[in-house]
Amino acid sequence: MSNLSILRTYAQKPPSEFPSSVLFTHTERTLTIYDAYPKSTFHFLILPRVQSESEITLKDLHSLKTLLKCDKSHAKEVIDALAKDAEDVKKEIESEMVKRYGFKWQVVGAIVAALVFSSTFRPIWTGFHASPSMHHLHLHVLSADLCSEKLKHKKHYNSFHPKLGFFLHLEDVLGWFEAEPSYFTQMAKLDEKKYESLLKEGLTCFHCDKEMKNIPTLKEHLQSEWDAQASKAKAREERKRKAEERKKDTDSDDVETATDEHQDKKQKS
């Protein structure tokens, strides 16, 4: 079985046949699996399962491009199902972030950039590759750090760079359905040559837009960005903890003072 078609095989298998090392969770319509080559600290794939009575066929689910050629309402049903389950996966990731590291990611950038690329500045990204290498539609759900030993090549990084354009944010794709029909038709073309050229763009940090000369330099920089974020988050949590302790002490003192005053009044009366 080709690695490129393994997702298509998964989409046709019952969940009971998956080992726990592969399957994270499932619903009637989707499978959520661990990415075998994660490009971030947390990285999952959500696949639409093949439904025997559905209007959408296995062939239609080959990619986002083939899905968008189908009846528009049926295509949106598939993406809505992926989006719904992505919300549950995001909650699980955020919970695990706090459990393992003590904080949820915060990707910081300029205010103007945040307004333009709102999806970029979130702790978890959800989206599709415009021209995927793997057969069968899949939605990426990954933490916004791109710190992973599996990230080894420029095309890996650029395929997930949140501002470059190859990574299509889920909310943007959903927005196509609400736009003018002509815009939907234009975006749904997903011209491979146009998008694949983006993978050859230079390396820039998605945090600060600084240009990097090679992958090792970029990875070191991304790790330093994450370490700085972790340090700030831990300091923030420590300040919060101390503030809560001070409030408890103040509340306790207020209770003691009120009790003493009450006792004094009773004695005087």
Side-chain angles (χ1 to χ4, degrees), residues 65 131 190-198:
K65 183 175 182 177
S131 179
L190 291 172
D191 180 20
E192 285 89 350
K193 289 184 179 180
K194 169 190 170 184
Y195 284 103
E196 287 175 3
S197 66
L198 297 173

Side-chain angles (χ1 to χ4, degrees), residues 7 41 47 68 80 84 97 112 121 131 153 235 247 253 262-263:
L7 299 184
T41 303
L47 288 59
L68 296 180
D80 281 342
K84 179 178 182 297
M97 284 176 172
V112 174
F121 297 87
S131 179
H153 304 288
K247 186 176 185 304
D253 290 342
H262 180 68
Q263 291 291 344

Side-chain angles (χ1 to χ4, degrees), residues 46-61:
I46 306 181
L47 288 59
R49 298 173 65 183
V50 178
Q51 307 286 312
S52 58
E53 298 180 0
S54 174
E55 297 287 339
I56 300 294
T57 66
L58 177 62
K59 185 177 179 181
D60 296 330
L61 294 173

Side-chain angles (χ1 to χ4, degrees), residues 152-159 199-203 215:
K152 298 179 179 180
H153 304 288
K154 181 167 74 170
K155 66 179 182 180
H156 290 162
Y157 177 74
N158 282 345
S159 71
L199 299 179
K200 299 176 183 178
E201 292 285 329
L203 293 170
I215 281 291

